[in-house]
């Protein structure tokens, strides 16, 4: 840049996640002047030849197997949420890939009372490992986490087109002989989730060779029983990050969150349309309503993007040490100018991602 000139630079940070064919693209465009430090866009331009890669995340929820309560069996709000993190080159080659899934459940009876322990942990299938039970109860040779790890490893070094054409049959089962020797489960949905993560990928600072991380924080504790005045609510809250690291330094960070709600009445009958799409907060964008209903200056997706950009270049320890006020909102002036929500959950998520994988 020439000195003594003021340059307006639009930095487009695209955060889009797809559920089926639905998605909302979020564009965050701060104005940077000459006096400001180099932006990530400057960095990308300067380092792309040296191996910059895109970071992508996809969250694909399904709730269609939920059932109402009957005299014979409890009702169940059943969630199966596939999450995928990737790094991708500009040529569309998947450099690294992690696949996981969140199996969550809230049970209720014919009086609308919740019978599940709402404070119990909600681990992912990778976290469950052999406790998921495909070997013990299903007679499988390989556990779920081992099978999706085989697919993730197969995806590395390939484009989505190569993955889709070589990995699976028309029926969604493993087509490649080596892959089929480990992965015997249906893979079609996971391949589609990898494709969505690649489509969502953007340059956020990661370089080729950085370590990819995927972490989730999940709970169902906001669920409530039905009564004469209010419908019952089974609610899964899942916050997810795809993050890359070079040693202890965060080189890119992508955050999204899912708030999946299923209502039921006082007889335990589900009243939610189970075929309707369940969108993440990034997908909802302004429809999430923090501006319209909460009077916020920035929507949730914008605040999550600002936090992710702020922690890029820091260590996980530095992120844990970000000062907060009594409401756990950021106390740092630079961060609090665009992030007014509690960041305690984000800080815990970053710490978990840094420690895992």
């Amino acid at each position: 840049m020439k000195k003594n000139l003021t340059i307006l630079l639009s930095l487009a940070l695209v955060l889009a996640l797809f559920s089926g064919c639905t998605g909302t693209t979020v564009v965050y465009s701060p104005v940077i002047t000459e006096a400001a430090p180099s932006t990530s866009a400057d960095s990308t331009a300067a380092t792309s030849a040296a191996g910059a890669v895109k970071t992508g995340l996809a969250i694909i929820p399904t709730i269609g197997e939920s059932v109402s309560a009957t005299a014979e069996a409890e009702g169940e709000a059943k969630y199966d949420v596939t999450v995928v993190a990737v790094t991708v080159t500009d040529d569309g080659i998947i450099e690294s890939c992690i696949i996981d899934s969140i199996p969550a459940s809230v049970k209720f009876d014919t009086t609308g009372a919740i019978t599940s322990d709402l404070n119990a942990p909600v681990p992912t299938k990778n976290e469950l490992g052999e406790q998921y039970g495909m070997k013990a109860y299903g007679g499988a040779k390989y556990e779920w986490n081992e099978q999706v790890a085989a697919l993730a490893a197969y995806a590395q070094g390939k484009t989505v087109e190569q993955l889709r054409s070589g990995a699976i049959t028309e029926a969604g089962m493993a087509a490649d002989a080596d892959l089929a020797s480990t992965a015997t489960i249906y893979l079609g949905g996971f391949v589609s989730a990898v494709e969505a993560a690649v489509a969502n990928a953007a340059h956020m600072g990661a370089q080729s060779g950085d370590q990819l991380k995927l972490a989730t924080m999940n709970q169902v504790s906001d669920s409530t029983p039905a009564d004469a005045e209010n419908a019952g609510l089974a609610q899964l809250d899942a916050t997810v990050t795809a993050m890359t690291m070079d040693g202890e330094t965060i080189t890119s960070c992508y955050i999204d969150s899912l708030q999946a709600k299923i209502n039921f009445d006082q007889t335990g009958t589900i009243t939610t349309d189970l075929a309707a799409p369940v969108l993440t907060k990034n997908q909802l964008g302004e429809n999430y309503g923090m501006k319209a209903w909460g009077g916020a200056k920035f929507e949730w997706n914008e605040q999550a993007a600002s936090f992710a950009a702020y922690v890029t270049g820091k260590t996980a320890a530095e992120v844990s040490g970000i000062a907060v006020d009594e409401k756990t909102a950021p106390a740092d002036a630079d961060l609090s100018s665009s992030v007014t929500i509690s960041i305690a959950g984000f800080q815990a998520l970053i710490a978990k991602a840094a420690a895992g994988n």
Side-chain angles (χ1 to χ4, degrees), residues 55-68:
T55 304
L57 173 66
I59 303 175
I60 312 295
T62 59
I63 59 173
E65 293 186 4
S66 302
V67 294
S68 298

Side-chain angles (χ1 to χ4, degrees), residues 11 50 108 144 157 161 173 183 210 235 248 260 268 293 302 312 324 334:
L11 171 62
F108 44 89
W144 186 95
E161 292 75 15
M173 305 303 289
D210 289 350
Q235 179 170 315
E248 295 184 355
W293 306 108
E302 296 172 310
T312 299
V324 297
D334 289 339

Side-chain angles (χ1 to χ4, degrees), residues 74-75 103-108 113-123 218-224 235-236:
E74 291 180 314
S105 173
V106 176
K107 294 183 178 181
F108 44 89
I114 290 176
T115 58
S116 296
D117 178 2
L118 299 181
N119 295 312
V122 183
N218 318 309
Q219 65 176 37
V220 294
S221 56
D222 285 339
S223 302
T224 55
Q235 179 170 315
L236 168 66

Side-chain angles (χ1 to χ4, degrees), residues 12-294:
L13 177 59
V14 179
L15 293 177
L17 294 176
F18 298 88
S19 175
C21 297
T22 305
T24 301
T25 301
V26 179
V27 180
Y28 179 54
S29 303
V31 176
I32 311 297
T33 67
E34 184 185 30
S38 297
T39 67
S40 59
D42 295 330
S43 176
T44 297
T47 60
S48 58
V53 292
K54 301 175 183 178
T55 304
L57 173 66
I59 303 175
I60 312 295
T62 59
I63 59 173
E65 293 186 4
S66 302
V67 294
S68 298
T70 66
E72 292 75 31
E74 291 180 314
E76 182 177 19
K78 191 171 183 179
Y79 305 93
D80 195 353
V81 184
T82 300
V83 290
V84 175
V86 294
T87 54
V88 190
T89 69
D90 284 338
D91 294 329
I93 297 172
I94 300 166
E95 183 174 277
S96 54
C97 178
I98 303 172
I99 302 170
D100 204 350
S101 180
I102 307 165
S105 173
V106 176
K107 294 183 178 181
F108 44 89
D109 62 22
T110 53
T111 70
I114 290 176
T115 58
S116 296
D117 178 2
L118 299 181
N119 295 312
V122 183
T124 69
K125 292 181 184 178
N126 282 351
E127 290 169 336
L128 286 168
E130 293 204 359
Q131 293 180 23
Y132 185 61
M134 286 187 60
K135 289 181 180 178
Y137 302 106
K141 184 177 181 181
Y142 294 97
E143 195 49 76
W144 186 95
N145 61 308
E146 297 172 310
Q147 298 199 36
V148 297
L151 176 61
Y154 180 86
Q156 294 173 16
K158 296 178 176 65
T159 64
V160 166
E161 292 75 15
Q162 291 169 335
L163 173 63
R164 186 167 285 284
S165 63
I168 57 174
T169 66
E170 290 185 0
M173 305 303 289
D176 177 84
D178 288 339
L179 179 60
S181 68
T182 302
T184 57
I185 59 176
Y186 175 77
L187 299 178
F190 301 122
V191 171
S192 295
V194 172
E195 184 174 2
V198 170
N200 295 338
H203 282 293
M204 299 180 180
Q207 292 287 302
S208 179
D210 289 350
Q211 186 179 10
L212 179 64
K213 306 278 191 172
L214 174 65
T216 73
M217 301 285 286
N218 318 309
Q219 65 176 37
V220 294
S221 56
D222 285 339
S223 302
T224 55
D227 58 33
E229 289 76 34
N230 302 291
L233 172 65
Q235 179 170 315
L236 168 66
D237 291 290
T239 305
V240 185
T241 186
M243 193 172 83
T244 57
M245 300 187 75
D246 179 9
E248 295 184 355
T249 302
I250 298 165
T251 55
S252 69
C253 183
Y254 197 151
I255 297 174
D256 198 0
S257 183
L258 177 73
Q259 194 174 71
K261 300 179 180 182
I262 297 175
N263 292 115
F264 53 92
D265 63 22
Q266 210 171 0
T267 69
T269 300
I270 291 174
T271 57
T272 296
D273 180 2
L274 299 179
V278 181
L279 304 181
T280 70
K281 293 181 183 179
N282 282 352
Q283 287 175 309
L284 286 168
E286 293 202 359
N287 288 328
Y288 184 62
M290 284 185 60
K291 289 181 179 177
W293 306 108

